[in-house]
């Protein structure tokens, strides 16, 4: 009897224990399911978002080493909706059950499906004054040793600013002297009239300005002065109205993604070096693009290579003229030469009091003739010192009187090269304008490649965020927000 009672107690104990054990077992399974659901949602979302970033535009990376997703995906209608469709496809593929399905049982352990998915934010190329572009430039250029170049550029810029080479001071001085020359000519003409009225004969006249031919030369096209009328340069033209810098462009939502490497916006020197490395100019055609002189376009923004190169030549002439004026007006020997010619002319004209104005006119003309020779040298691939001295001055007073320079520029020398002047001009250029014109160049170059004729750089993104709600067939629902960018 006692043995039977013990067996009955054991059966009841095991039955009660099994109930507790099964409850614990199923609780653990459900807990595992809940954690698996959370983990799968996060992993699938991260994988899908990374897959979207993996669809970066190949030409942007090939030509400019930048990572951006083209929201048009090769079509003529870019939109966030296209990104959403790609995300949904990747998420769906990762939630679905693949491989062998036993007994036709299709529900997975988590049974997940996406109820809603929205793109909550994007950062596009033109957002916040091209933050994405400049950060990626910094990331790319940070591998280069730019210390020496940076120091040299900043030194050259300091000299430019210190000398006031672009202040217009010397143009103003020349204008004042031109007014004095006009007064001299009027006086000379008046004296000539008086002498002729008295029955005398005089050679007095107002057409004996030795700088007159040089002043006439100033009014001609800068490229004609530097390269001549028979020059051979690019004749490519573009419609600037289609460029990003001239149209209403698309921007993202202002998303500011976390950056694991703490990349800053590229500063002026770093950004300019990127431009010089990736874009062509008159002396360096680094790649085939829509325009041949892309750096000159970034500086001046004209719709043709010729117009941009002419603007570059003109700016170089003005800068070199200012630098040469600073030197020649301080050179006692050259001032003495100019004074001797001025005294001879004003004596003949019977206006000796105008000798100082004629001397200044000669010196201004001499500085300009020297400037033409300098720019010829730069265009030929040579170098020109920022400030001249007696040993580096290349023209003579004869060149002024004949208003001529040598046919070609030197291909050697010391000082600054054409590319060095581009560096300085880029550094002094307005930041926003420089950013947008670089994007113009990127866009027009990529449009030249196959299947990219509708490419728009303002619809290129490098970061985005999502908000989703995912439900499980086991009765759970999980909201989630995520942001991602190229790090």
């Amino acid at each position: 009897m006692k043995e039977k009672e013990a067996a009955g107690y054991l059966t009841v104990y095991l039955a009660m224990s099994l109930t507790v054990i099964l409850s614990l077992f199923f609780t653990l399974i459900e807990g595992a399911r809940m954690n698996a659901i959370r983990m799968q949602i996060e992993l699938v979302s991260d994988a899908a978002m990374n897959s979207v970033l993996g669809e970066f535009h190949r030409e942007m990376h090939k030509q400019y080493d930048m990572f951006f997703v083209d929201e048009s995906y090769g079509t003529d209608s870019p939109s966030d909706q296209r990104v959403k469709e790609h995300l949904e496809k990747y998420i769906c593929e990762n939630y679905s059950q693949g491989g062998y399905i036993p007994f036709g049982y299709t529900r997975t352990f988590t049974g997940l499906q996406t109820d809603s998915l929205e793109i909550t934010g994007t950062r596009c190329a033109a957002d916040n004054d091209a933050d994405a572009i400049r950060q990626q430039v910094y990331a790319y250029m940070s591998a280069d040793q730019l210390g020496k170049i940076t120091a040299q550029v900043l030194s050259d810029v300091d000299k430019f600013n210190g000398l006031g080479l672009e202040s217009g001071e010397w143009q103003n001085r020349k204008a004042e002297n031109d007014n004095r020359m006009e007064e001299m000519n009027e006086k000379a003409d008046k004296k000539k009239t008086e002498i002729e009225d008295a029955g005398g004969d005089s050679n007095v006249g107002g057409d004996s300005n030795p700088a007159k031919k040089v002043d006439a030369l100033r009014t001609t096209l800068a490229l004609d002065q530097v390269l001549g009328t028979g020059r051979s340069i690019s004749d490519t033209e573009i419609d600037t109205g289609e460029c990003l810098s001239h149209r209403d462009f698309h921007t993202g939502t202002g998303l500011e993604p976390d950056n694991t490497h703490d990349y800053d916006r590229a500063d002026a020197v770093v950004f300019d070096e990127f431009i010089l490395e990736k874009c062509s100019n008159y002396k360096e055609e680094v790649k085939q693009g829509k325009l041949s002189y892309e750096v000159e376009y970034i500086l001046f923004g004209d719709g043709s290579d010729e117009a941009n190169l002419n603007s570059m030549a003109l700016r170089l002439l003005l800068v070199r003229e200012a630098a040469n004026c600073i030197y020649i007006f301080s050179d006692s020997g050259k001032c003495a030469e100019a004074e001797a010619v001025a005294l001879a002319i004003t004596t003949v004209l019977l206006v000796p009091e105008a000798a100082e104005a004629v001397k200044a006119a000669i010196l201004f003309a001499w500085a300009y003739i020297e400037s033409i020779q300098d720019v010829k040298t730069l265009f030929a691939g040579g170098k020109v010192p920022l400030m001249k001295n007696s040993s580096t001055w290349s023209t003579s007073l004869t060149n002024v009187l004949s208003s001529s320079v040598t046919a070609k520029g030197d291909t050697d020398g010391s000082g600054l090269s054409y590319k060095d002047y581009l560096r300085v001009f880029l550094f002094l250029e307005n930041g926003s304008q420089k950013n947008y014109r670089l994007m113009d160049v990127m866009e027009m170059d990529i449009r030249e490649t196959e299947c990219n004729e509708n490419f728009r750089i303002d619809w290129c993104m490098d970061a985005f965020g999502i908000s989703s709600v995912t439900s499980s067939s086991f009765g759970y629902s999980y909201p989630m927000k995520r942001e991602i960018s190229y790090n």
Side-chain angles (χ1 to χ4, degrees), residues 68-72 77-83 119 121-133 242-255 436 439 443 447 455-464:
F68 282 96
V69 176
D70 176 12
E71 292 193 56
S72 74
S77 55
S79 69
D80 291 344
Q81 179 63 29
R82 293 189 180 278
V83 179
I119 304 294
T122 58
R123 183 173 78 162
C124 294
D127 286 10
N128 193 25
D129 194 19
D131 252 353
I133 293 283
E242 296 182 357
C243 295
L244 176 140
S245 61
H246 288 77
R247 68 172 187 252
D248 293 331
F249 53 79
H250 169 77
T251 58
T253 62
L255 178 69
Y436 295 137
M439 286 191 280
E443 185 176 86
R447 284 181 176 179
F455 176 78
R456 285 186 54 168
I457 193 170
D458 50 323
W459 274 99
C460 288
M461 69 171 188
D462 76 333
F464 67 98

Side-chain angles (χ1 to χ4, degrees), residues 201-323:
D201 187 14
S202 175
N203 292 322
V204 177
D207 296 331
S208 299
N209 179 2
K212 188 174 181 179
K213 290 182 178 180
V214 176
D215 287 340
L217 188 62
R218 293 172 183 269
T219 63
T220 61
L221 198 67
L223 282 179
D224 288 348
Q225 300 176 49
V226 176
L227 299 178
T229 56
R231 59 183 176 273
S232 177
I233 61 173
S234 169
D235 58 358
T236 303
E237 296 183 7
I238 61 169
D239 180 4
T240 56
E242 296 182 357
C243 295
L244 176 140
S245 61
H246 288 77
R247 68 172 187 252
D248 293 331
F249 53 79
H250 169 77
T251 58
T253 62
L255 178 69
E256 290 292 339
D258 292 333
N259 193 323
T260 58
H261 296 289
D262 297 320
Y263 288 131
D264 297 320
R265 285 167 57 92
D267 60 26
V269 175
V270 173
F271 192 65
D272 296 345
E273 283 306 306
F274 177 83
I275 291 174
L276 290 170
E277 177 181 326
K278 298 297 184 181
C279 300
S280 60
N281 62 70
Y282 176 68
K283 296 306 298 178
E284 292 183 3
E285 192 168 325
V286 296
K287 62 181 177 62
Q288 288 294 115
K290 178 67 174 178
L291 292 174
S292 295
Y293 315 139
E294 294 174 338
V295 179
E296 288 83 351
Y297 170 79
I298 292 171
L299 284 171
F300 303 105
D302 289 315
S304 71
D305 276 329
E306 182 175 4
N308 288 313
L309 191 60
N310 183 71
S311 296
M312 181 64 180
L314 180 59
R315 189 170 184 181
L316 285 171
L317 283 172
L318 295 175
V319 167
R320 290 309 313 154
E321 182 184 16

